[in-house]
Amino acid sequence: MDAKAGDMGNLAFLLVDKTREFVEACYERGDLDAALSCLDPVRATCYGYASELHAFDTDAVARLLGASCAFARRIGSRIVSHECHLAYRNETCTVVLSSLRTRATKGDAEGEPSDDEYERRLTFVYAPVGDDWLIVHMHSSAPHAPDDPFASRRMTARDVGAVDLDAVLSQAKVERERYEIVSELSDDVIYEYDVGRDTLYLFSTRFGKSPDIRRNKLVIEHCLDTIGLDGFVHPDDRVRYAADARKLSQAQPERGDGRDDYVHVYRLRPMFFFGRESEQDVFVHQRVMGRRIYDARGRVVKYVGKIVDVSEEYELLEQSSTDALTRAYNRSYLQGRLREYCASKQPDVSYACLLADVDYFKSVNDKFGHLVGDNLLTAFVDTARTLFRTSDIVARLGGDEFMVFMRDVYDPRVAMERSEALIDAFRTMAADRGFPRDVSLSVGVVVESEPHPFSELYRRADIALYRAKAEGKNRAVPYLEGMAYPEGGALAKPLPPLGD
């Protein structure tokens, strides 16, 4: 996901990803090109704890980073821990502080003595460059460096208007260490959100092949402005996430109410500390568990808990809820979602069920074989998913019969328009793939405002589907009051005009 210069709500994801990429490229992989891609090619400068580590033009910066990359490759550098702190930001710049510990996995090839571990403190100043944010200044210091290792760091803070950034890092250090210890005892992410400071702290430990253990810490100030729902929460979960957040911010509950503890599952965009690469438009099921902490006046001051990756659990659930051939949802899943929706829907909103059947599907199987027929069914599902919302459910009921469940339909004409668009798209797809010209789609459409069981919705949609087949196939027909199954090849009673 590209974060543009003005997109402050999603800025945290861009800066976390870019800081992680730079640190890993320069201090672990030794990849100079990747490191330079994170820097402004015109304005970037570097400042170190010794004069030979200063660089004030592009060539000097490249030489300095090149030496760091070469050293990382020579000693087989591996990152042991990384703390990333989004400490200050405005519309024109952002300051990110990093504390880094690396370990050498092989001796220095040149025979120079080398410590087993190296510590660095890094300050990055990012600025918008076109549609991206790039590093325009960085400072590297070591805890035991000569002279004053924090001098240029404080200079950077003054330049951008931040106040005592080193004090921010050391604030409440003892309290934070408790969560770091807990995070090392599990593979989960431990979090603390400080309401007064609007600051989010996240801790995680990732265990690889021994002794490959990485400890990560992320601190995000101005959290509510820095992490926007658009970039953090899956579109289908945002309304529920916002509603849950409002409930959690309410005053202290009565004793014995049991609302202090909370557990929710959302599809969230993973950051690097979840042990996954942050990819565009990727959301992972995460279980958010925690407890609210109150002050003496009953105000919520902190949220403390853990975030558990439950994507594998939900993948297994999805496997049990989907059709093995087409990967559409199965009848059981559809019935469950319909039941849940009807139990909680608002009275002023409708929903729709579109029952679709492939015309002349048997002839496809007879002429081309079942494998080709299976491919046609799979292609139908792919086509339907491109036309409907992610919140709509495409389910296979059996054979060549499918149902699309559309939530929250405010205009009945939308269901007919979507049905007709599906018929056209399916016909085009079938023709492009060389299927017989008469292969098409018939759809029975039901739009309801009142809750109904699945059996009744299916009955009504099936009656409308029969009408579509009787009228020549390759069309959508809405269910209207008074429709019935045909008897002896004819409809049981006259039907009112279908209308628009």
Side-chain angles (χ1 to χ4, degrees), residues 175-176 179 189-203 223-224 241-253 259-264 288-295 298-307:
E175 185 176 354
R176 305 286 174 266
Y179 303 123
V189 176
I190 308 301
Y191 70 88
E192 176 195 334
Y193 175 63
D194 189 312
V195 177
R197 296 191 177 97
D198 188 22
T199 300
L200 177 66
Y201 304 85
L202 298 133
F203 313 90
C223 180
L224 295 180
Y241 182 95
D244 292 340
R246 286 193 296 270
K247 291 179 182 178
L248 287 174
S249 65
Q250 293 174 352
Q252 183 175 6
R259 288 189 293 128
D260 277 327
D261 297 329
Y262 54 88
V263 179
H264 301 290
V288 182
M289 311 166 65
R291 171 170 294 186
R292 293 176 291 185
I293 298 176
Y294 304 91
D295 62 13
R299 297 173 301 184
V300 179
V301 294
K302 288 183 181 179
Y303 299 86
V304 178
K306 65 179 181 178
I307 304 173

Side-chain angles (χ1 to χ4, degrees), residues 7 22 96 236 259 277 282 304 331 415 427 449 464 483 492:
D7 189 4
F22 178 86
V96 177
D236 294 347
R259 288 189 293 128
E277 297 291 333
V282 171
V304 178
R331 179 191 293 258
R427 191 75 182 267
S449 59
M483 276 188 174

